[in-house]
Structures are given as structure tokens and as C-alpha cells.
Amino acid sequence: MELIDLHTHTTASDGTLAPAELVRAAHRAGLRALAVTDHDTTSGLAEALAEGEKLGLEVIPGVEITAEVGLRHSVHILGLFLDPEDEGLKEGLGRFMASRKERNPKIVAKLNELGIDITLDQVKSYAGGELISRAHFAQALVGRGAAATRQEAFNRYIGAGRPAYVPKLRLPLSETAGLIKGAGGVPVLAHPGIIELPPPALEALITRLAGEGLEGVEAYYSEHGAAMQRRLIALAARLGLVVTGGSDFHGGCKPDVRLAYGRGELRVPAGILSAIKQRRDRIRKEAR
Ligand code: AMP
Ligand code: MN
Ligand code: MN
Ligand code: MN
């Protein structure tokens, strides 16, 4: 079976492979297509697309954005097949970046108040690009000896509800989906299976989001069991959503998740790509 991976991160956000390195890894793994979906930024896409061109591997430009859905938890939305040069998208992602730039010193201040000796420059030294996320804070906290593992750093300090947690800007789902569609992309709910909701509530949420502009669900995912995958594929068919899939590969900072194979069980069939492309074409036609 030909395989694809439609959810991956590079050094442009919190992954450890540079965009071209990631594309080479996907090529070596024999993938049919790879989507690069860094958090809040498209800055790795030009390099990835150029490397894909060189190797003859289809690279799909993407992004992953946190959105507000009026629940205790926010959700992550993937935008697939978007135009990185779209002005509306650039403006929207610029707002997220500005919010991070306000947030990062606040996290440092809270950590300092907790008696942890850490500076923003130390955190920045773990980032490959302009974007600083809590993933980099976690690495810096381990580096400073304030936590034994990154997971402990989240649990003790920077996870939601913990003492050094600072929220960042999130837009409602409808606006987030609008930003992606305006750039010609397909907005997809990322990793629905890790949203902490019982199955009927998760189904109700996806049904509501489908009415607010969502176009797909990531049914194939590293952390989804066979039953979750099956339920999401069936729900997508009922709601007229496309199905996507990916590993959420981050490289060495999440070493147990492999490109394309996730935790070992993941297989995203290349056959799902044609329906996603049809949806992309429909979104672009409706936007005209
Ligand atoms: P941010 O976008 O700055 O809020 O940071 C979110 C990133 O931190 C995610 O993309 C994950 O890579 C990582 N992350 C978030 N929550 C956790 C957690 N509980 N444990 C480990 N990593 C996490
Ligand atoms: Mn991440
Ligand atoms: Mn995510
Ligand atoms: Mn991700």
C-alpha cells in the first residue's frame, strides 16, 4: 500500500528536522506525499516545497492552528493545500506570532517568580526559527534542571492550569476555518481522538463544527486506536467531511513517533488524497 503523511513539524515550529531534512526523510521512507504543518507558521514551506520539487516528492503546504470552540479545551485545526503567500493568511498568522511575542516574556516572569532562573534567550536557543512555543520552554526547563523531563515541565509549570501557564490568542473555529479557506486550503480537525470528551460529546462537537466551516477530520493518527479510526471515518462519511491522516512527527523531541508509522500501527493510505484534492478544488471555486 502506498503511504502518505499529512501532519508533520519542522524546525520552523517545534520539530527537530529542518524542512529539507524532513522532505528527504519522507522520500527515503518511500512516501507518496508529505504535508508540512508547522504550528502558526508557513516559514518552513518554501524550503520544503523546493526540496520536494528536487526529489520528485509531492509536498503539501500546510499549517496547524489552535482554535476556540467554546469548550474547556481548545482544538487544533490543520490547513492543508494552502497558499502561503495569501495576504489574509499572512495577516492572521502574524497576529498569532505577535501574541506569542507578548506571551513568552510573561511565561519567563512567572517561572522567575517560582524561583526558576531562566531567561528568554535560553529558551530561544532551543528554537530553530522565529517561533517560540511551550515545547521550547519545556526543553529549556529540562536544560536548567528545573524538570527531569519535558512532560514534567508541562505537568509542573507550563501545562494548562499550571502556575506558569499563559494563554495565547485563539480565534473561533469559524474564523480559523475562514483564514484557511481564504488561502485556498482545507480546514481539518486535528487528532480528534485526543480531545478529552466521551464519544457522544465528541461526535456532537464534530457535527457542530461541520456546520461552522470545518471540512475534514484527521481519522488516521498516531494516538488513535482502530476503533477511534473506524468511528471517525464513519462519522466523516455521515457528515460529508473528508478524511485525512498523519503522524504528527516532531523528530527527536518526540522520538517515539515515527514519520508515517506513528507509534508503529499507523498507515495512512495514499488513496485518500484524491477526495481531499476534490474538496480543495470545491473550496477554491466557492471562494471565487
Ligand atoms: P504552544 O503552542 O506554545 O502553546 O505549545 C504547544 C506545544 O507544546 C505543542 O505543539 C506540543 O508540542 C507541546 N505540548 C503541549 N502540551 C503538552 C504536554 N502536556 N506534554 C508535552 N508536550 C506538550
Ligand atoms: Mn508541537
Ligand atoms: Mn496538535
Ligand atoms: Mn501537530
Side-chain angles (χ1 to χ4, degrees), residues 19 24 26 29 89 123 132 173 198 201 224 234 244 249 259 265:
R24 285 197 287 274
L89 180 70
V123 179
I132 315 289
L173 184 279
H224 289 173
T244 77
F249 178 74
L259 188 63
E265 306 295 307

Side-chain angles (χ1 to χ4, degrees), residues 9 14 39 64 135 248 250:
H9 297 270
D14 56 349
H39 302 282
E64 181 175 18
D248 210 356
H250 279 68

Side-chain angles (χ1 to χ4, degrees), residues 274-287:
S274 60
I276 305 169
K277 287 178 177 172
Q278 276 174 25
R279 186 61 59 104
R280 169 201 63 189
D281 295 343
R282 193 165 106 193
I283 290 166
R284 291 183 182 182
K285 215 156 110 196
E286 279 166 7

